[in-house]
Amino acid sequence: MEIVRPQWKPPSNDIVSTLPLYRSAPALEVRLEDFELYAMDRLRVLKGISDGLSRGKKPEEMKNLVNDLWKVNMKHPQASEVFNKDVISHFVLRLVYCRTEDLRKWFLSMETALFRHRFRLLTADSQRALLAELGLPYKAVARAEFEVIKEKLVQVARSISQPIPSSDAIFYKVPFEEVPELVAGRRIFICKGHAYVAMNQVVSLVVTQFRSLLSKALILTNRKWTSMIREQEKDRLTPIVESLCSSYLGPDYSQPNEFAEISVKDIDLVAKSSFPLCMRHLFEKLREDHHLKHGGRMQLGLFLKGVGLKLDDALAFWKAEFSQKVGAERFDKEYAYSIRHNYGREGKRTDYTPYSCQKIISLTPSVGDHHGCPYRHFSEDNLRAALSRMGVNNGAVEDVMDKVRNRHYQLACTLTFEAIHGLSCDAGINHPNQYFSDSQKILKLKSHSSEQGESTAD
């Protein structure tokens, strides 16, 4: 792909599937801003799917979730460009996620889940067109063969609560290893090594092929990336590609919202009620040791800025703690500058943004450091103890630990939030400042409801 205006259109046939197979990168020009924005929009869809699957949503819930994610994020002001956005965003993210085995595995799973859902929404004619485009060597079962095995097909349909095959039903005869998930679920009739796939089950066959094609393509893309593209594009695309997989896609928390304004006198109270575990741990260590290393100061300091601690209060807060360890004079000389710098009052005058969950999870704290994500970086015993101190009950702790073992660290934090506040958080926790803001909203609503109840009782 060249980087200015999309020109490519899907090929025109009698029946064209609106679902691309992404077999080769289109020969089109893409504007640099579209290159990144399209990829971020698709990434929101894939991360939404990942979150839904990790939370164990049911098939109907996933169907509605994917529909909503696609409609919100993959739309385009020009209807004619929706297809191009789909193709461009896929190939950009293929470049982003080809670079390590873990990235490839995640991208492959999420793109396959998205493809499966979109294929099911196609008309029967479009599904058959896609089968033809895949070039699969399978033909519909002849009428004579269908009549011979019809009773067996009816028995299978009844056993899985599917509609009884009519006389004009279409079945494909394929090697059974081509549809492993249907075989594993005992949802298909097998005879002499062949599986008879109903039209409403063809998605399994197509998805297997799609996954195989994409898996091979990711390996080839990785080779091109490491041998050529990364160096050639080091001053233009490489920084974008290497940062996209850890991009924060939520609201901007560089400025406090209406629920997030705190002063030094309030900080201990709100730390206990509304700080996420990562920030609560840093805060407690600061109170205990009267010192934090640079990584901890940055993570906690920017968080406090985001929740509304003004610069003067921030200087007073950090000085009160550090002075007990290093003295007031040394604090003014060595530490005050960096606090003013975070608030955009020194250096380049940049207004620095609080760290997102993804950035915190990606950090690698050393011995003596306290920053990072506790769900990732704590030992199991330390994490259990920390959750218990936060007031998380034993049942919820086990649920949290289950997510941690599967490396779903943000979901673990979400479950912690839900256990403490007694309410679900469907959007999930993606940012420490979101955790704080949502917590404050809930606590204020509960306080208001309690006051109304007392007023009614009076």
Side-chain angles (χ1 to χ4, degrees):
M1 288 189 293
E2 293 294 329
I3 305 284
V4 201
R5 171 166 169 72
Q7 305 286 345
W8 182 64
K9 303 293 179 185
S12 59
N13 299 313
D14 293 335
I15 298 175
V16 178
S17 169
T18 55
L19 179 57
L21 291 170
Y22 314 107
R23 281 184 149 167
S24 58
L28 51 76
E29 296 177 332
V30 186
R31 290 179 299 184
L32 192 59
E33 59 265 35
D34 289 342
F35 182 91
E36 184 170 12
L37 289 174
Y38 287 3
M40 291 181 73
D41 283 345
R42 192 182 194 91
L43 194 51
R44 289 186 177 93
V45 176
L46 299 185
K47 290 194 172 181
I49 293 172
S50 177
D51 184 61
L53 292 172
S54 299
R55 291 173 72 89
K57 287 187 178 293
K58 297 177 181 177
E60 190 62 28
E61 293 175 319
M62 284 302 301
K63 174 184 174 184
N64 295 332
L65 174 66
V66 178
N67 278 341
D68 292 342
L69 288 168
W70 190 264
K71 287 178 182 177
V72 170
N73 296 294
M74 295 304 290
K75 60 187 177 183
H76 193 282
Q78 296 173 260
S80 61
E81 295 297 337
V82 171
F83 189 92
N84 283 343
K85 179 177 181 179
D86 178 8
V87 175
I88 292 166
S89 63
H90 170 88
F91 277 97
V92 176
L93 288 187
R94 185 184 289 190
L95 199 59
V96 171
Y97 281 87
C98 76
R99 295 173 298 122
T100 70
E101 185 177 351
D102 283 345
L103 291 177
R104 289 194 294 272
K105 183 179 178 181
W106 184 86
F107 181 69
L108 183 62
S109 295
M110 295 310 112
E111 278 287 342
T112 301
L114 175 60
F115 183 88
R116 179 192 300 276
H117 172 78
R118 295 179 67 197
F119 182 82
R120 282 177 170 152
L121 295 179
L122 297 177
T123 64
D125 284 343
S126 292
Q127 288 182 349
R128 283 194 287 271
L130 199 61
L131 277 170
E133 190 179 343
L134 275 167
L136 298 177
Y138 311 128
K139 295 181 179 179
V141 174
R143 186 56 40 203
E145 186 176 1
F146 173 79
E147 292 299 330
V148 171
I149 61 171
K150 181 177 180 180
E151 187 54 38
K152 296 291 186 181
L153 299 177
V154 168
Q155 290 176 15
V156 171
R158 283 178 177 154
S159 71
I160 59 175
S161 302
Q162 290 292 312
I164 303 302
S166 61
S167 57
D168 60 348
I170 297 175
F171 280 79
Y172 290 90
K173 183 179 179 180
V174 307
F176 77 91
E177 62 268 21
E178 298 286 342
V179 283
E181 62 179 27
L182 293 178
V183 174
R186 299 189 177 189
R187 291 180 284 144
I188 200 162
F189 173 60
I190 300 176
C191 181
K192 296 181 180 179
H194 286 88
Y196 289 81
V197 183
M199 196 62 210
N200 62 2
Q201 296 175 314
V202 155
V203 62
S204 180
L205 179 63
V206 173
V207 163
T208 299
Q209 297 297 320
F210 174 79
R211 186 183 183 93
S212 176
L213 288 171
L214 181 55
S215 179
K216 293 173 184 175
L218 284 167
I219 298 296
L220 293 174
T221 305
N222 173 254
R223 290 174 186 168
K224 290 181 179 178
W225 169 258
T226 54
S227 66
M228 180 175 60
I229 302 174
R230 180 171 56 192
E231 181 61 25
Q232 286 180 347
E233 295 289 344
K234 64 181 180 181
D235 297 323
R236 186 175 59 154
L237 296 186
T238 297
I240 297 174
V241 167
E242 292 184 340
S243 65
L244 264 172
C245 64
S246 59
S247 296
Y248 170 64
L249 305 173
D252 177 16
Y253 289 101
S254 58
Q255 298 297 327
N257 61 27
E258 71 273 19
F259 291 98
E261 291 184 6
I262 63 172
S263 63
V264 174
K265 65 180 177 64
D266 299 325
I267 199 167
D268 285 280
L269 181 63
V270 296
K272 189 174 182 180
S273 67
S274 296
F275 279 20
L277 180 54
C278 58
M279 300 304 172
R280 183 165 170 164
H281 174 66
L282 284 167
F283 183 80
E284 290 173 351
K285 282 298 177 183
L286 177 62
R287 288 295 202 206
E288 180 183 325
D289 300 337
H290 309 296
H291 188 271
L292 286 175
K293 291 187 176 182
H294 177 73
R297 296 197 301 273
M298 288 295 292
Q299 184 173 314
L300 179 60
L302 290 174
F303 169 79
L304 292 174
K305 173 195 168 194
V307 301
L309 191 67
K310 304 301 182 187
L311 175 58
D312 289 342
D313 282 348
L315 287 167
F317 166 73
W318 288 99
K319 186 171 185 177
E321 291 300 325
F322 270 53
S323 293
Q324 298 180 54
K325 189 77 172 270
V326 303
E329 185 177 350
R330 184 179 169 191
F331 174 84
D332 289 338
K333 286 182 178 179
E334 297 183 18
Y335 298 101
Y337 176 89
S338 64
I339 295 170
R340 293 194 298 270
H341 189 264
N342 284 348
Y343 280 76
R345 304 295 175 85
E346 300 283 1
K348 296 180 180 178
R349 310 282 174 171
T350 301
D351 193 14
Y352 289 91
T353 301
Y355 292 176
S356 68
C357 288
Q358 286 178 313
K359 181 174 179 64
I360 291 171
I361 290 169
S362 70
L363 297 174
T364 52
S366 302
V367 176
D369 286 329
H370 298 292
H371 61 284
C373 174
Y375 300 98
R376 181 185 177 191
H377 299 119
F378 276 20
S379 68
E380 182 170 332
D381 288 343
N382 286 344
L383 181 55
R384 285 180 181 275
L387 292 170
S388 179
R389 289 195 297 273
M390 289 184 78
V392 181
N393 64 54
N394 290 337
V397 168
E398 293 307 318
D399 291 338
V400 170
M401 298 309 300
D402 181 61
K403 296 302 180 186
V404 169
R405 291 186 197 102
N406 288 292
R407 299 193 291 180
H408 299 309
Y409 306 118
Q410 288 173 232
L411 279 176
C413 188
T414 301
L415 292 180
T416 302
F417 180 95
E418 293 175 343
I420 291 172
H421 295 87
L423 291 172
S424 64
C425 179
D426 291 337
I429 299 298
N430 298 295
H431 200 293
N433 291 76
Q434 173 212 348
Y435 184 111
F436 178 87
S437 179
D438 289 353
S439 173
Q440 286 288 288
K441 289 177 185 178
I442 291 171
L443 294 176
K444 288 180 188 297
L445 285 172
K446 285 182 176 180
S447 176
H448 181 65
S449 297
S450 177
E451 290 172 1
Q452 282 192 325
E454 291 176 4
S455 175
T456 303
D458 291 341

